């Protein structure tokens, strides 16, 4: 599998034998929107992580309290909940590549539904639910797959596969394709696959009946930028693409009828041109009401805050705040837009922040130890 700056060679974790310490939090204001009651956290088991960690979420403060862990799958670095919330899917980010399904209703710890199934490629880094299937992006092999789902949520196996081709100008990171994320467009029949190795976002069609994948084209981005993750504006007409190799966010118009992306602008996610040292942006999240965008930046170990104009096409940097740990690999916003949760891989913790509803600026609210943490899913 190709080397990644945040991957196997660089991850660090804690003592797998030690029990997680008690959550540290301060009281927070009751927020807007419906509260969530659970969180699931992925981690790198090869670096001391405990696999999938389950936690309860305090509805008033947003504080996490760990309820249990399972190491049934190696390196479950990214997780996704099925729409009904009763099944949790996890990639196994290994050379062989696999996807596992967990029952989330069996108690405080998710229970493996069946043996993990091959994902169809190496080094899977992301997955999502789309039109009754699970779709997966493979960094190592540079491919995207679809897996069919049985009644009850367990997985049958690969039903569709698209192999990306090409390279970029960075000889170390872009010698070949590296699909890092796959996101269903609204409606679920078109998939946007972010390819770091080829500086592009590919569009693939998913057949809901068969799970077959058909390439529909792609959008080239700035050479050498290394796009990693994207997020849709809730209105569904704009997409924000975060680049890992250049700390920028590209705004694109999305044409759902034609299935095309058109880049219309680019904004930095570092404090200023004078900032020194390497920085590798990782995750991007959009407020449920579409007013703010947040990006996590490793190296700087910050969260960039950007304000969104009314239609979603223009972003204005607002602030940069510490992420509360080291090497923030992913972040998520709660459904009410009240809090951000950040998985800090190298410091081995998950931090959460209260969001100022007027400015979008997050303020630290608490943290909990999760060795080699890689992502947080709420539901």
């Amino acid at each position: 599998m190709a080397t990644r700056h945040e991957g196997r060679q660089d991850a660090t974790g804690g003592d797998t034998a030690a029990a997680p310490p008690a959550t540290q939090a301060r009281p927070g204001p009751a927020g807007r929107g419906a509260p969530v009651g659970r969180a699931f956290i992925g981690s790198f088991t090869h670096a001391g992580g405990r696999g999938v960690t389950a936690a309860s979420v305090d509805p008033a403060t947003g504080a996490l309290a760990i309820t249990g862990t399972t190491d049934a799958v190696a390196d479950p670095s990214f997780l996704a909940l099925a729409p009904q919330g009763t099944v949790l899917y996890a990639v196994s980010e290994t050379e062989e590549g696999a996807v596992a399904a967990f029952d989330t209703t069996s108690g405080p710890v998710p229970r493996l539904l069946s043996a993990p199934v091959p994902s169809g490629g190496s080094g899977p880094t992301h997955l999502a639910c789309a039109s009754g299937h699970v779709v997966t992006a493979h960094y190592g092999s540079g491919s995207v797959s679809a897996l069919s789902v049985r009644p009850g949520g367990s997985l049958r196996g690969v039903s569709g596969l698209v192999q990306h081709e090409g390279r970029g100008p960075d000889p170390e990171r872009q010698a070949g394709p590296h699909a890092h994320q796959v996101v269903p467009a609204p409606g679920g029949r078109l998939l946007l696959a972010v390819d770091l190795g080829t500086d592009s976002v590919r569009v693939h069609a998913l057949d809901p009946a068969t799970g077959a994948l058909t390439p529909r084209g792609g959008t080239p981005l700035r050479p050498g930028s290394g796009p990693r993750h994207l997020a849709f504006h809730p209105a569904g007409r704009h997409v924000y693409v975060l680049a890992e190799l250049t700390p920028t966010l590209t705004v694109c118009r999305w044409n759902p009828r034609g299935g095309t992306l058109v880049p219309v602008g680019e904004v930095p996610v570092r404090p200023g041109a004078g900032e020194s040292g390497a920085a590798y942006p990782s995750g991007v999240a959009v407020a449920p009401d579409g007013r703010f965008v947040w990006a996590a930046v490793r190296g700087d170990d910050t969260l960039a805050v950007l304000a969104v104009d009314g239609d979603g096409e223009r972003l204005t940097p607002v602030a940069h705040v510490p992420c509360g740990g080291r090497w923030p690999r992913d972040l998520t916003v709660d459904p009410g837009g009240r809090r951000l949760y950040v998985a800090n891989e190298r410091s081995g913790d998950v931090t959460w922040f209260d969001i100022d509803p007027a400015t979008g600026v997050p303020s630290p609210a608490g943290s909990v130890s999760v060795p080699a943490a890689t992502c947080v899913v709420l539901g």
Side-chain angles (χ1 to χ4, degrees), residues 125-126 128 135-139 142-145 162-165 177-185 190-205 213-221 226-232 239 241-242 254 259 261:
T125 51
H126 190 270
V135 293
T136 304
H138 301 92
Y139 183 93
S143 57
V144 173
S145 65
V162 175
Q163 176 63 56
H164 293 182
E165 302 292 342
H178 295 304
H180 213 306
Q181 184 197 40
V182 58
V183 177
L190 292 178
L191 309 175
L192 278 63
V194 188
D195 196 304
L196 184 149
T198 64
D199 294 318
S200 64
V201 177
R202 314 291 182 91
V203 178
H204 306 309
L213 295 176
T214 304
R216 287 279 298 270
T219 298
L221 299 177
R228 175 185 171 98
H229 272 206
L230 63 75
F232 271 88
V239 173
V241 185
L242 186 65
W254 169 245
L261 281 178

Side-chain angles (χ1 to χ4, degrees), residues 78-360:
F78 203 88
L79 314 174
L81 273 170
Q84 71 274 20
T86 59
V87 179
L88 179 75
Y89 297 103
V91 299
S92 179
E93 190 179 334
T94 58
E95 183 70 27
E96 298 79 13
V99 178
F102 293 86
D103 176 9
T104 66
T105 67
S106 59
V109 180
R111 176 181 60 84
L112 196 64
L113 280 173
S114 59
V117 301
S119 61
S122 67
T125 51
H126 190 270
L127 81 173
C129 297
S131 297
H133 296 78
V134 172
V135 293
T136 304
H138 301 92
Y139 183 93
S141 54
S143 57
V144 173
S145 65
L147 290 84
S148 58
V149 179
R150 291 189 176 95
S154 63
L155 297 165
R156 296 183 190 276
V158 174
S159 57
L161 179 69
V162 175
Q163 176 63 56
H164 293 182
E165 302 292 342
R167 62 177 59 199
D170 187 319
E172 179 185 355
R173 302 296 309 280
Q174 297 183 309
H178 295 304
H180 213 306
Q181 184 197 40
V182 58
V183 177
R189 296 197 180 198
L190 292 178
L191 309 175
L192 278 63
V194 188
D195 196 304
L196 184 149
T198 64
D199 294 318
S200 64
V201 177
R202 314 291 182 91
V203 178
H204 306 309
L206 171 66
D207 186 324
T210 67
L213 295 176
T214 304
R216 287 279 298 270
T219 298
L221 299 177
R222 181 152 62 93
S225 59
R228 175 185 171 98
H229 272 206
L230 63 75
F232 271 88
H233 186 274
R237 295 289 182 173
H238 292 87
V239 173
Y240 309 114
V241 185
L242 186 65
E244 178 174 337
L245 303 185
T246 59
T248 54
L249 197 65
T250 299
V251 181
C252 299
R253 292 180 191 147
W254 169 245
N255 178 351
R257 181 166 297 180
T260 57
L261 281 178
V262 178
V264 294
E266 187 179 273
V267 293
V269 293
R270 297 191 87 181
E275 189 75 12
S276 61
Y280 304 99
S282 56
V284 57
V286 182
D289 62 9
R291 296 173 55 231
F292 303 104
V293 174
W294 300 275
V297 183
R298 296 164 300 177
D300 289 348
D301 294 339
T302 59
L303 305 176
V305 185
L306 303 103
V308 183
D309 73 353
D311 68 0
E313 190 153 304
R314 288 173 294 278
L315 302 180
T316 302
V318 172
H320 297 81
V321 301
C323 70
R326 290 189 298 115
W327 214 249
R329 193 173 191 272
D330 199 38
L331 78 170
T332 190
V333 60
D334 78 341
R338 302 169 297 170
R339 295 180 183 91
L340 278 176
Y341 293 82
V342 182
N344 297 306
E345 181 184 346
R346 291 187 178 177
S347 54
D349 49 39
V350 172
T351 54
W352 57 93
F353 300 78
D354 293 327
I355 299 170
D356 187 308
T359 65

Side-chain angles (χ1 to χ4, degrees), residues 11-18 43-50 345-349 369-373:
T12 60
D15 182 357
T16 57
S43 67
F44 280 125
T45 56
H46 80 271
R50 300 184 177 94
E345 181 184 346
R346 291 187 178 177
S347 54
D349 49 39
S369 174
V370 182

